[in-house]
Amino acid sequence: MELFDVYKRWDIEPVRGLGSTLWDKDGTEYLDLYGGHAVISIGHCYPRYVEALSGQTAKLGFYSNAVANSLQTELAKRLGKVSGYDDYSLFLCNSGAEANENALKLASFSTGRARVLAFSGAFHGRTGGAVSVTDNPSIRSPFNSTSNVTFVPLDDIGAVERELSGRDYAGVIIEGIQGVAGINVPSDGFMQALRAECDKTGTLLILDEVQSGYGRTGRFFAHQWAGIRADIVTTAKGMGNGFPIGGVLISPRVKPHYGMLGTTFGGNHLACCAAIAVLDVIEEEKLVDNAFKLGEWLKAELQDSPAIQEYRGRGMMVGLKLGPGYKDLRSRLLMEKKIFTGASGEDVIRLLPALNISKQSLESFLQAWNSLI
């Protein structure tokens, strides 16, 4: 049996990691500025994280949600406190797509409505409901296409108002910062107006913070830069530092009932242990502040680079829109300088490193970058 061929892959196999450094099977060293799609939030093989997971594995790796699990309760309290959503409830699942699936379902249950408003360039996942609100027809099958979803331009509050005026939308789903589309940051004013329009029309506001959350932008969730609160927040990726876990933070206005949501693996003992260890490190090392400060420093260092048309993002969620003649920079960084980065199309390099990446590592990146310009 062979793997189902759905990914383009570099012919590189990392086999070991520490902090923001990776080594392949031949012993070649790489600087990791992508963290496997923003997943590695506290660095590879962080000692406390390894110790916590190893200890939990030796005690109990899994049992179902048919029994009590105090690790879930601890995680909910800790996440509520650090995120500022301590009056919300937490539903645990396994991934960002699954978190968004459940968020959409909750919005429809709560309002009794079926329609959802999403935005041009949006990416919310590849599963049934999540891909239906993803603005990419090439990954949305006919089965997943639905008249219940409408897309409007990002930052166009007039278009939002026109759609929501009929008061038949269950929810609006928006990323704190659009990642796959190229690190597009919605304006604070737009986010505030969107919140007000949702309140006016009884529409639930769903913030997809799967990539932009967990401290990456210098706030725990990116939408908090606008000073707003969402009705439902989804999170995953950096939540487990590589261990699969996702979560849905749910407003008190959304009332639960038995059978409404469910999961076998969501919130299992190992996943919760990993997520608690991540929060320990984020809080103790003040990584939210570190992400913001290093992001501001990096922006200042790169603002005059002739290769960059536009520097996008906040904190350690960075998009570098490349000018003509520089579209090969990502491959050259990897193949010549041994630096992992991400991409959005051909002309945007994405930097999504661990939140505790050192300034020294970023200086190494800058030296490599300037040598290629």
Side-chain angles (χ1 to χ4, degrees), residues 72-145:
Q72 292 182 349
T73 304
E74 180 182 354
L75 175 57
K77 289 181 178 179
R78 292 283 303 282
L79 180 54
K81 180 180 178 182
V82 73
S83 69
Y85 278 96
D86 55 342
D87 56 333
Y88 279 40
S89 300
L90 177 65
F91 177 76
L92 291 165
C93 53
N94 307 285
S95 69
E98 190 178 334
N100 286 330
E101 294 278 346
N102 284 293
L104 294 167
K105 186 178 180 182
L106 284 167
S108 185
F109 262 128
S110 181
T111 62
R113 305 171 183 176
R115 300 184 69 189
V116 176
L117 190 68
F119 293 91
S120 301
F123 184 91
H124 299 290
R126 296 176 186 268
T127 54
V131 79
S132 72
V133 291
T134 291
D135 185 28
N136 186 345
S138 69
I139 66 171
R140 189 172 60 243
S141 75
F143 175 76
N144 303 124
S145 300

Side-chain angles (χ1 to χ4, degrees), residues 1-56:
M1 183 180 292
E2 297 181 349
L3 293 173
F4 196 51
D5 189 13
V6 293
Y7 295 114
K8 292 182 179 179
R9 290 184 171 95
W10 298 101
D11 189 22
I12 298 168
E13 184 180 355
V15 296
R16 185 165 63 91
L18 185 64
S20 292
T21 303
L22 292 167
W23 290 267
D24 68 15
K25 59 184 179 181
D26 299 319
T28 304
E29 182 177 311
Y30 297 82
L31 175 61
D32 184 11
L33 297 186
Y34 196 52
H37 303 306
V39 167
I40 302 300
S41 52
I42 60 171
H44 297 282
C45 299
Y46 193 98
R48 176 184 291 195
Y49 176 85
V50 173
E51 180 181 356
L53 269 176
S54 299
Q56 183 60 48

Side-chain angles (χ1 to χ4, degrees), residues 166-185:
R167 297 175 183 266
D168 59 349
Y169 278 89
V172 175
I173 186 167
I174 184 170
E175 294 159 89
I177 293 177
Q178 288 188 336
V180 175
I183 314 297
N184 298 322
V185 184

Side-chain angles (χ1 to χ4, degrees), residues 342-365:
S344 295
E346 294 183 350
D347 63 350
V348 178
I349 288 178
R350 281 192 286 168
L351 305 180
L352 300 163
L355 306 185
N356 55 358
I357 191 169
S358 68
K359 186 177 180 181
Q360 182 180 6
S361 292
L362 292 177
E363 287 173 339
S364 296
F365 160 69

Side-chain angles (χ1 to χ4, degrees), residues 279-291:
L279 286 178
D280 285 341
V281 177
I282 286 177
E283 287 189 280
E284 291 176 14
E285 296 192 6
K286 297 180 172 56
L287 295 189
V288 179
D289 290 338
N290 188 64

